[in-house]
């Protein structure tokens, strides 16, 4: 058996991300980019700022990938607690018991086959982090994307500043081939992270998740509705997502939406 077969996929992915991050940073410092020119001129503020941003993005990546994304408690709950949880949900939408881990799933929870757990407010399983994005780590995930995009765009500019196209092809390939490959890699990563960030900002603004957006027609509490029952407007959605206020189970929010719709229906009927 190969030695790496004994290592968990999460360790391999996070190690690969760390090595790639510092490898790209080293290439930018070793070639004749503005980063190196600042260093040689004794202007250390910008190089140090860039290094700190790289370090911060790496630490944020590790925090999101290692933290609990919002696992549903698998410990047996008292009967009173179960009854309370059931009472908060409209009878038309009963809570579902997970067929894999046999827990009673709260609204917006889903079982992840990779993590083998049910995740509260499940968004998606991120293979680049080897962890789910859920209720607890989704705000940090968005913050990571913002910081990572800043680092990538700055790195892209630095890589471009070191490319010189006046040399003969053979000489240029030997002197700048690695830097050009880094530029292409940073371009690809910048595009991917930009699209990810834009999509998640849209989802956060409307208080929905990637899973709900893609699979609304298959989700019991969404497929019979024409609008998102969790959407409370841009400001309240953002405050709730980043600050956790107002706090409370999603079942309560659903019940409030049901009551509001019933009141509107009654007033129109009158």
């Amino acid at each position: 058996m190969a030695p790496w077969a004994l290592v968990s996929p999460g360790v391999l992915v996070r190690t690969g991300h760390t090595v790639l991050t510092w490898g790209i940073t080293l290439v930018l410092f070793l070639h004749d980019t503005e980063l190196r020119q600042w260093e040689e001129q004794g202007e250390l503020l910008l190089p140090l700022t860039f290094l700190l941003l790289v370090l911060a993005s790496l630490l944020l990546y590790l925090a999101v990938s290692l933290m609990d994304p919002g696992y549903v408690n698998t410990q047996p709950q008292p009967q009173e607690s179960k009854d309370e949880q059931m009472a908060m949900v409209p009878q038309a939408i009963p809570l579902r018991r997970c067929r894999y881990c046999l827990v009673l799933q709260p609204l917006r929870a889903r079982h992840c086959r990779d993590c083998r757990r049910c995740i509260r407010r499940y968004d998606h399983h991120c293979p680049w982090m080897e962890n789910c994005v859920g209720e607890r780590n989704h705000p940090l995930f968005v913050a990571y994307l913002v910081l990572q995009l800043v680092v990538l765009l700055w790195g892209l500019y630095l890589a471009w500043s070191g490319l010189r196209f006046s040399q003969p092809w053979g000489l240029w390939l030997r002197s700048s081939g690695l830097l050009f490959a880094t530029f292409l890699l940073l371009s690809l990563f910048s595009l991917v992270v930009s699209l990810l960030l834009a999509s998640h900002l849209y989802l956060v603004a409307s208080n929905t998740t990637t899973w709900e957006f893609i699979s609304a027609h298959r989700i019991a509490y969404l497929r019979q509705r024409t609008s998102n029952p969790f959407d409370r407007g841009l400001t309240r959605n953002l405050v709730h997502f980043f600050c956790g206020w107002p706090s409370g189970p999603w079942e309560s929010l659903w019940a409030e939406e049901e009551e509001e719709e019933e009141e509107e229906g009654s007033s129109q009927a009158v």
Side-chain angles (χ1 to χ4, degrees):
M1 184 180 290
W4 55 82
L6 302 174
V7 183
S8 70
V11 172
L12 292 176
V13 168
R14 292 171 196 121
T15 302
H17 179 89
T18 303
V19 170
L20 186 62
T21 298
W22 290 119
I24 289 176
T25 304
L26 187 62
V27 169
L28 294 176
F29 269 98
L30 292 179
H31 285 77
D32 189 24
T33 63
E34 285 192 5
L35 199 62
R36 184 173 178 179
Q37 294 170 14
W38 292 331
E39 185 185 3
E40 290 175 348
Q41 294 168 6
E43 300 175 3
L44 300 180
L45 179 60
L46 288 175
L48 285 175
T49 303
F50 181 74
L51 279 177
L52 287 175
L53 287 176
V54 171
L55 180 60
S57 71
L58 185 58
L59 292 176
L60 204 50
Y61 164 84
L62 293 174
V64 175
S65 64
L66 291 171
M67 73 182 293
D68 173 2
Y71 295 127
V72 176
N73 186 15
T74 56
Q75 299 299 321
Q77 294 181 334
Q79 187 61 38
E80 292 182 3
S81 176
K82 288 183 182 178
D83 293 342
E84 254 177 41
Q85 192 176 11
M86 292 292 292
M88 287 188 293
V89 186
Q91 294 180 0
I93 309 292
L95 291 183
R96 195 179 67 164
R97 188 171 294 279
C98 177
R99 60 179 176 175
Y100 298 103
C101 51
L102 303 179
V103 299
L104 203 61
Q105 289 182 334
L107 280 181
R108 313 192 81 180
R110 184 174 187 263
H111 185 87
C112 174
R113 295 186 182 183
D114 295 292
C115 296
R116 299 179 182 178
R117 297 283 297 274
C118 284
I119 314 296
R120 292 180 180 275
R121 197 183 177 277
Y122 175 85
D123 189 86
H124 71 286
H125 183 87
C126 181
W128 187 244
M129 294 191 170
E130 196 57 32
N131 193 17
C132 274
V133 175
E135 190 169 69
R136 291 193 62 191
N137 64 351
H138 200 174
L140 278 181
F141 178 75
V142 173
Y144 161 72
L145 290 179
V146 172
L147 185 56
Q148 186 67 78
L149 184 59
V150 171
V151 172
L152 286 171
L153 292 177
W154 195 355
L156 192 63
Y157 166 77
L158 292 171
W160 179 257
S161 72
L163 292 173
R164 308 284 186 271
F165 299 98
S166 57
Q167 299 172 320
W169 171 250
L171 180 61
W172 180 86
L173 194 60
R174 287 194 297 272
S175 63
S176 302
L178 183 58
L179 184 62
F180 184 65
T182 299
F183 175 80
L184 293 178
L185 200 60
L186 289 171
S187 300
L188 176 62
F189 288 161
S190 297
L191 177 62
V192 171
V193 173
S194 297
L195 293 174
L196 265 176
L197 179 59
S199 63
H200 277 275
L201 287 177
Y202 168 77
L203 294 173
V204 169
S206 57
N207 199 352
T208 190
T209 64
T210 302
W211 174 56
E212 290 171 342
F213 183 78
I214 295 174
S215 306
H217 62 286
R218 296 193 293 122
I219 301 174
Y221 58 85
L222 291 179
R223 63 187 172 203
Q224 296 178 348
R225 303 186 63 92
T226 57
S227 61
N228 176 14
F230 307 109
D231 187 0
R232 284 295 180 267
L234 177 61
T235 303
R236 292 181 65 182
N237 289 342
L238 292 176
V239 171
H240 185 272
F241 181 80
F242 288 107
C243 305
W245 183 87
S247 60
W250 295 111
E251 290 83 357
S252 300
L253 198 60
W254 172 275
E256 289 175 13
E257 177 71 11
E258 287 288 300
E259 289 176 5
E260 288 177 7
E261 288 191 356
E262 288 177 5
E263 290 175 1
E264 288 178 5
S266 301
S267 62
Q268 288 175 1
V270 173

